[in-house]
Amino acid sequence: MSSTAGKVIKCKAAVLWGLKQPFSIEEVEVAPPKTYEARIKILATGICRTDDHAISGAMTVKFPVIVGHEAAGVVESIGEGVTTVKPGDMVIPLFLPQCGKCSSCINPNGNLCEKIDVTGKGVLSDGTTRFTCKGKPVYHFMNTSTFTEYTVVEEDSVAKIDSAAPPEKVCLLGCGFSTGYGAAMKTAQVIPGSTCVVFGLGGVGLSVIMGCKSAGASRIIGIDLNKDKFEKAKSVGATECISPKDYKKPINEVLSEMTNNSVGYTFEVVGRLETMIDALASCHMSYGTSVVVGAPPSSKMLTYDPMLLFTGRTWKGCVFGGWKSRDDVPKLVTDFMAKKFDLDELITHVLPFNKINEGFELLYKGESIRSVLLM
Ligand code: CND
Ligand code: ZN
Ligand code: ZN
């Protein structure tokens, strides 16, 4: 048992005190884990656009909050009843839990565990938080909260992984890579020889490209407004890249002409209503499948021509790539260790944790794919 087990840990965390504010590195108190919870020492954590959705208000959260949901770390201590992880285990916190009991978990095809915190409750199952700062409770984010030296998660929100896995790389399996790769491999089930189109070439979009390539797609078209993203997209597998700004015609017509009307799969990996419709319209009217991967802005509605679906298209979405998180993350780590895919291409910046605001600046300027913060 570690010397800190059962005690409050004081450590550094990046606290967001309110909407659209920079992170403030504070000393916080992290309470010991309660029943069915584990306290984790975070070793490395990536910056994902979803964290920014909390800052910008596109996603509802309670303040003050500790965001961050893509990380790897080591279990420091466990609460009563925990049997599947123990102190010293290398783990990945899971923003999508797998309770094993809810309607999604018991169905082989479901992965959206009902314990996911999509509404921004910001508390653990008992309705309280494990963080305090300056005497105030600080809320959790997506069952994870990784922008801190220590966090507390529930047992069903943590996956034990290979102890030899490098945390500064496999942290990306906690969100970005798994989400994108799974969208292609598991949700769309891209078939060999097909043509795929990926809207949005950030860390998640590039991971979709890697998935399409692994699945044997013969043509992969990357779309972004920022042409600086094209080079990297090509190096991970895009066969060509275009910007909608270079065309007068609607993008679905451009793609249809480019491919002789043969787009099998499209992926929206931006998180905008317009691109969701563009992606739907861009897949083949009869056999095409379009997958919504980008997080939809809170409380916004879509209007679209139902003829798009009537003709035969399939419209899907997926959270965390469709993976069952506790079952599949350890397997993805095994695949990474067996060199079935490479994460280095996605990691453009590595920064010390206290430079977190710089990491977000890189995201805003469109200069980074993934910045990884080291604790
Ligand atoms: P990031 O911001 O790095 O990438 C988005 C890319 O889209 C950037 O390269 C932009 O230049 C590009 N872009 C912006 N507007 C347009 C446009 N109109 N047309 C084409 N390209 C455009 O984000 P990320 O890769 O970290 O995340 C992408 C989305 O995925 C984002 O919405 C995030 O919240 C979401 C997501 C979903 C899930 C899930 O489980 N489904 C998990 N993590 C992240
Ligand atoms: Zn994410
Ligand atoms: Zn469940």
Side-chain angles (χ1 to χ4, degrees), residues 3-315:
S3 59
T4 45
K7 298 180 190 147
V8 170
I9 292 181
K10 284 187 182 194
C11 68
K12 272 193 287 176
V15 177
L16 278 175
W17 290 98
L19 216 52
K20 296 176 188 163
Q21 287 183 24
F23 289 94
S24 159
I25 304 281
E26 308 275 6
E27 185 179 85
V28 298
E29 294 86 35
V30 185
K34 294 191 183 174
T35 307
Y36 302 128
E37 295 173 0
R39 188 161 56 184
I40 298 167
K41 180 177 173 32
I42 299 292
L43 299 173
T45 176
I47 293 176
C48 171
R49 181 59 73 170
T50 306
D51 300 310
D52 171 56
H53 291 334
I55 303 170
S56 72
M59 187 176 171
T60 310
V61 296
K62 289 204 187 97
F63 294 99
V65 65
I66 295 173
V67 298
H69 62 283
E70 185 181 87
V74 173
V75 175
E76 172 269 340
S77 62
I78 53 175
E80 246 176 77
V82 174
T83 55
T84 55
V85 293
K86 59 180 189 310
D89 283 350
M90 182 73 91
V91 292
I92 290 182
L94 305 168
F95 74 86
L96 174 63
Q98 186 183 348
C99 75
K101 296 178 197 132
C102 73
S103 59
S104 294
C105 284
I106 60 176
N107 187 290
N109 300 319
N111 82 321
L112 193 74
C113 177
E114 287 170 14
K115 283 190 73 181
I116 190 172
D117 185 9
V118 276
T119 55
K121 288 196 306 284
V123 289
L124 299 184
S125 283
D126 73 341
T128 65
T129 90
R130 300 291 163 271
F131 301 115
T132 48
C133 181
K134 298 180 176 156
K136 291 199 186 80
V138 176
Y139 290 99
H140 295 247
F141 177 66
M142 298 288 286
N143 309 295
T144 45
S145 291
T146 62
F147 294 157
T148 169
E149 290 175 318
Y150 287 86
T151 190
V152 176
V153 302
E154 295 184 26
E155 187 176 15
D156 47 26
S157 297
V158 58
K160 179 182 169 164
I161 60 163
D162 184 342
S163 61
E168 70 284 5
K169 300 197 197 300
V170 297
C171 58
L172 298 197
L173 299 184
C175 181
F177 177 79
S178 303
T179 297
Y181 192 72
M185 300 282 280
K186 193 159 170 83
T187 304
Q189 306 211 347
V190 167
I191 56 170
S194 51
T195 296
C196 300
V197 177
V198 181
F199 289 75
L201 305 175
V204 184
L206 296 185
S207 304
V208 173
I209 293 178
M210 290 161 79
C212 293
K213 190 180 172 189
S214 291
S218 52
R219 204 165 166 191
I220 304 169
I221 304 171
I223 299 186
D224 205 295
L225 302 176
N226 178 355
K227 292 187 182 178
D228 293 341
K229 304 275 175 147
F230 291 178
E231 193 187 325
K232 177 92 14 158
K234 286 180 185 160
S235 81
V236 300
T239 52
E240 59 232 280
C241 290
I242 59 172
S243 166
K245 283 196 219 152
D246 290 343
Y247 301 89
K248 290 208 177 69
K249 281 186 192 167
I251 196 71
N252 59 307
E253 289 178 25
V254 173
L255 288 163
S256 173
E257 280 169 22
M258 273 174 81
T259 62
N260 198 17
N261 197 18
S262 67
V263 176
Y265 306 90
T266 62
F267 300 86
E268 200 282 351
V269 206
V270 182
R272 292 174 52 92
L273 303 181
E274 298 79 7
T275 39
M276 289 176 190
I277 297 296
D278 284 346
L280 175 64
S282 297
C283 71
H284 193 273
M285 64 177 177
S286 173
Y287 60 80
T289 295
S290 186
V291 185
V292 174
V293 186
S298 293
S299 23
K300 291 269 165 53
M301 295 293 157
L302 264 179
T303 319
Y304 64 95
D305 181 353
M307 190 58 81
L308 289 170
L309 296 178
F310 179 70
T311 58
R313 290 179 178 87
T314 302
W315 204 6

